[in-house]
Amino acid sequence: MVPVPIKESAPQLNTPADTTTEDAVDSDLPGQVHRTLAEHLESRLAECTELDGGFAAAAREVSRFVLGGGKRIRPTFAWWGWRAAGGAPEGPAAEAMLRAASALELIQACALVHDDLIDESDTRRGRPTVHREFARAHHRERWAGGAAQFGMSAAVLLGDLALAWADDMLHCAGLQPEQLARGLRPWRAMRTEMLAGQYLDVFSQVRGDETPEAALRVAELKSASYTVARPLQLGAEIAGADAAVLAALESFGHDIGVAFQLRDDLLGVFGDPAVTGKPAGDDLREGKRTLLVAEALRVARERGDEERAAELRAVLGDPDVSPERIDSAREVLVRLGAQQAVEDRIAQLTAAAHRTLREADLAEPAATRLAELAEAVTDRTH
């Protein structure tokens, strides 16, 4: 029997026991990020309207995408990197930091729009993906040319627009010149690492690279760096953190970032579609060589179990695979111990991250909140 699907519950990134004495951003970070993004996007859409009404209508899809969902994980880690290095919870400097942190959501929008296009995904957060939405509009309006090609073109351009707006938002956040100069170090590295991770993800699929080492490298670049480590460093650098704080946050961010990606890998196969917003087993249909898959194939090789390895490989990358064969592939992953191996790796990484926090000299309440975040983003099973 395949176990009951893991149900993803959105990480509770902002649930302290008592918020009565906390400042507005500390106690309602997702809400403050949403407000900041809405203000920025309103001004950018006004500029687009002046350029052309048709372009403004398309650009509004970026605003809808950014404001319509998401857990605000990256701005959250950036903010607590700032606070961990002694950054103020309120005032002009804090407002500038909040704008800088919020810009990360625009990079995330770019990554998701392009990722959905690369993976040929139909849905995101329970809605049609951007390229599908524009293809539908093309079909509905009976425009000339191919609907799929138009949808793809629109998604590429709107993803690029989100990335351009992210840079604009960072540079116009109101940071002091020396703060911006420090913040640009992790910002620049993060953008390159994110794209490297996305490319290696695609490259490993076409090469059929089934090694755990390749899967972990993708997880490090595509998620650990981009989701946790670099956002933490962004906030800490802007706050003027010393070398010891930066090193502690880098170690913590790497471990939690990889654990976060491994949890997503499990949800991509065993997650509840009603919660994840994507069809069950989508990662298998897309042929993703995640650590989950790599561990199963490694064990199959060691056991000489060619039958189960062949059953799993036959599903990978087949967009038309039936739900019954997806269930069988899940069964293979469980029987070969891959699901448990990934759970064990998540637990080890999370424990290492907590040890780093205990040994580091980080300002409160950031140290406590980072410990809570470590659990929130890696333990999404209930």
Side-chain angles (χ1 to χ4, degrees), residues 17 60 63 67 74 80 92 94 101 112 136 144 182 191 232 234 280 362 376 382:
R60 274 193 285 274
S63 180
L67 299 177
R74 290 154 192 85
W80 288 111
L112 292 180
R136 289 183 181 186
R182 291 193 302 265
R191 291 181 307 171
L232 277 171
L234 175 69
L362 302 181
H382 51 74

Side-chain angles (χ1 to χ4, degrees), residues 88-116:
E90 58 184 352
E95 280 293 321
M97 179 61 222
L98 178 62
R99 287 189 287 271
S102 299
L104 291 164
E105 283 297 291
L106 288 164
I107 294 188
Q108 171 70 344
C110 167
L112 292 180
V113 170
H114 286 171
D115 211 36
D116 286 340

Side-chain angles (χ1 to χ4, degrees), residues 45-87:
L45 289 175
E47 295 170 7
C48 293
T49 301
E50 293 178 2
L51 289 175
D52 180 83
F55 177 61
R60 274 193 285 274
E61 181 64 18
V62 174
S63 180
R64 184 207 63 76
F65 189 91
V66 171
L67 299 177
K71 307 175 189 75
R72 313 306 186 204
I73 292 172
R74 290 154 192 85
T76 296
F77 278 112
W79 176 259
W80 288 111
W82 158 265
R83 298 285 280 120

Side-chain angles (χ1 to χ4, degrees), residues 158-183:
L158 292 178
D160 289 349
L161 181 64
L163 184 59
W165 282 356
D167 274 337
D168 292 346
M169 191 172 186
L170 175 69
H171 282 83
C172 298
L175 300 172
Q176 296 299 311
E178 63 274 14
Q179 291 179 312
L180 179 60
R182 291 193 302 265

